[in-house]
Amino acid sequence: MNKERKLIIAGNWKMNKTVAEGLDLVHGLKLELASVKEVDIVVCPPFTALSEVSKAILDSNLRLGAQNMSENGLGAYTGEIAAGMLKEFSVRYVILGHSERRQYQKESDALIAKKAASVHAAALKPIVCVGETLAERESNQTEQVLDTQVRGSLCGLTREQMVETVVAYEPVWAIGTGKTATTQQAQDAHAFIRSLLAKMFDESIAKKVRIQYGGSVKPSNSRELMSQPDVDGALVGGAALEVRSFADIIKNSI
Ligand code: 13P
């Protein structure tokens, strides 16, 4: 598939996998995906598996991501993880503002903006998640919600930082439900997000930013989703937990 921007497909393992299970998964992925050059492939294990997974993928085309990071540097923040700690394991990407964290940890756009600034300050790349709930979509508030989240969580970035930021559009109603957005719904939301980036920065920046789709991505729908002009990759949950399904999502997208 010939895309304007290089595809980036990331597996968000969420709160799953022991170290041994995570190693099994990446060993399988390494074998399956060794020849793939067209896609930036990222695995995002829980913090507890970062060290071992990092060593296991050292000589491969898999890159490492974390699922969250503190907005603060080292210090008295019990239970938090700082950028410098992630860098020790060659982490390249950090997922921020996932809807599960917005919901359960009450993360706000302002907090996510601070975290995004800290991720960039450490020369890591944030994957900033946005997306509406079912109630918001059904009451025609999708664009309003995306406008607030995109502006609120990306507002402090410089132009250079924005280009190195990935945005993940994850409609909350499609996460873990088996209900995928239609290709048209995904394309419309992605085009809208890109138009917002053009207003906040400019057209040339907006054209460079990669926007992933997330929400029940599977081998059977990845090709159609990735073929949309503004869909530049996927953030995969459940289907990223098995070698076969994650590898097929990637292979079907090329
Ligand atoms: P599912 O692929 O399980 O729907 O999860 C999507 C997601 O939340 C990825 O961050």
Side-chain angles (χ1 to χ4, degrees):
M1 202 180 290
N2 202 2
K3 298 285 291 188
E4 197 175 340
R5 294 160 288 271
K6 188 175 185 188
L7 286 175
I8 174 165
I9 300 184
N12 174 9
W13 298 2
K14 307 192 179 183
M15 199 169 72
N16 293 293
K17 303 283 181 197
T18 61
V19 171
E21 290 166 349
L23 287 175
D24 273 354
L25 176 52
V26 291
H27 285 140
L29 291 174
K30 271 170 66 173
L31 291 175
E32 284 283 334
L33 298 170
S35 62
V36 174
K37 295 189 174 55
E38 302 88 337
V39 181
D40 286 333
I41 306 167
V42 185
V43 289
C44 306
F47 290 127
T48 46
L50 284 177
S51 171
E52 291 299 317
V53 169
S54 167
K55 284 182 228 158
I57 64 175
L58 213 53
D59 56 345
S60 79
N61 54 347
L62 305 184
R63 296 289 169 262
L64 195 59
Q67 298 176 20
N68 179 37
M69 196 191 93
S70 171
E71 69 278 23
N72 297 304
L74 298 178
Y77 301 100
T78 303
E80 293 290 289
I81 303 283
M85 297 167 169
L86 298 181
K87 293 197 72 145
E88 209 180 355
F89 303 127
S90 308
V91 166
R92 308 271 184 102
Y93 296 89
V94 184
I95 299 172
L96 294 179
H98 191 280
S99 62
E100 287 148 16
R101 295 199 62 83
R102 289 177 184 264
Q103 185 184 352
Y104 304 129
Q105 275 76 33
K106 305 281 176 263
E107 290 198 0
S108 65
D109 291 323
L111 176 65
I112 296 159
K114 276 192 198 161
K115 291 187 177 198
S118 300
V119 167
H120 280 297
L124 299 168
K125 297 179 205 290
I127 298 176
V128 176
C129 304
V130 295
E132 81 287 358
T133 62
L134 185 59
E136 289 162 345
R137 174 162 284 268
E138 286 179 341
S139 55
N140 288 322
Q141 287 177 284
T142 299
E143 292 194 348
Q144 181 55 50
V145 170
L146 293 178
D147 189 291
T148 305
Q149 292 182 344
V150 168
R151 288 181 192 277
S153 50
L154 301 173
C155 56
L157 302 182
T158 64
R159 294 161 56 84
E160 292 71 25
Q161 290 172 337
M162 189 64 236
V163 173
E164 298 297 330
T165 299
V166 177
V167 178
Y169 169 61
E170 296 208 316
V172 178
W173 48 272
I175 295 177
T177 57
K179 250 197 212 176
T180 316
T182 64
T183 46
Q184 194 58 51
Q185 285 171 327
Q187 168 57 26
D188 288 351
H190 284 228
F192 179 72
I193 292 168
R194 203 176 302 286
S195 75
L196 286 172
L197 297 176
K199 281 189 216 159
M200 293 167 65
F201 297 88
D202 66 38
E203 198 81 40
S204 72
I205 301 285
K207 273 191 168 173
K208 289 183 185 145
V209 175
R210 294 186 290 182
I211 306 176
Q212 295 174 312
Y213 168 79
S216 299
V217 176
K218 321 180 248 270
S220 58
N221 60 23
S222 64
R223 186 169 183 82
E224 213 189 332
L225 285 162
M226 298 310 125
S227 69
Q228 298 301 306
D230 286 293
V231 178
D232 312 308
L235 185 54
V236 186
L241 297 176
E242 302 293 334
V243 175
R244 187 72 275 136
S245 47
F246 192 56
D248 282 348
I249 284 172
I250 291 164
K251 288 179 178 173
N252 293 351
S253 301
I254 299 171

